[in-house]
Amino acid sequence: MANKTYTVTVASGNLYGGGTGNVFYLDGVRNATGPGTIEWVSGATLRFEQSNSSNDFHPLIFSTNTSTSGIISSGVTYYLDGASNQANYTNTTTFNAATTRYVEITPSSQTDFYYLCYVHGIGMGGIFDITQNTWGALPWGDN
């Protein structure tokens, strides 16, 4: 079970040229000044729910850098209609055909990482800032 779930949507339009479209919105929010930053702690699980049809052609992945060359597989589970398969998740044909799709990550280290679109890259995503004291991320009484 995830400690926090984000509902992911993608606004239509063009990001480049000053627009606000073709970027990930997490619970309806996008950092207006650039790629969004999420603060979180290692060991806690985040779920990114991508079942909304606006996510078609935009599978969200995690990477150690700002491209798909650093895709993170350890501690990450990609789900399409209840089945876990990273290759199917990043394949837009199977991704678009699924009705329930989400990805979960449980960071195990203090190293920051990125979330991005497998097809369109970092311009749609942002950075995870792994912290020790993010408010609300730990159970009551921890730290």
Side-chain angles (χ1 to χ4, degrees):
M1 182 172 155
N3 297 93
K4 170 122 177 89
T5 299
Y6 283 105
T7 300
V8 181
T9 54
V10 178
S12 61
N14 188 352
L15 168 65
Y16 306 102
T20 58
N22 208 31
V23 294
F24 289 126
Y25 283 76
L26 307 179
D27 291 342
V29 177
R30 169 70 177 171
N31 184 337
T33 60
T37 299
I38 298 172
E39 292 184 343
W40 199 243
V41 294
S42 65
T45 302
L46 284 167
R47 177 183 288 189
F48 292 80
E49 171 63 53
Q50 286 198 277
S51 296
N52 184 285
S53 64
S54 68
N55 287 283
D56 287 356
F57 299 102
H58 302 296
L60 186 147
I61 63 159
F62 306 103
S63 181
T64 58
N65 56 44
T66 58
S67 74
T68 58
S69 67
I71 193 167
I72 299 171
S73 298
S74 179
V76 179
T77 311
Y78 298 86
Y79 293 95
L80 294 177
D81 291 333
S84 172
N85 186 306
Q86 180 178 333
N88 284 345
Y89 201 90
T90 57
N91 176 321
T92 56
T93 301
T94 53
F95 181 82
N96 294 349
T99 55
T100 302
R101 50 196 180 191
Y102 61 91
V103 59
E104 290 185 341
I105 186 166
T106 306
S108 60
S109 74
Q110 298 299 317
T111 305
D112 293 351
F113 59 95
Y114 301 88
Y115 68 102
L116 55 134
C117 175
Y118 185 77
V119 177
H120 301 102
I122 191 64
M124 290 188 66
I127 190 169
F128 274 95
D129 180 17
I130 303 299
T131 67
Q132 291 291 324
N133 58 357
T134 299
W135 187 88
L138 296 173
W140 176 257
D142 286 1
N143 292 330

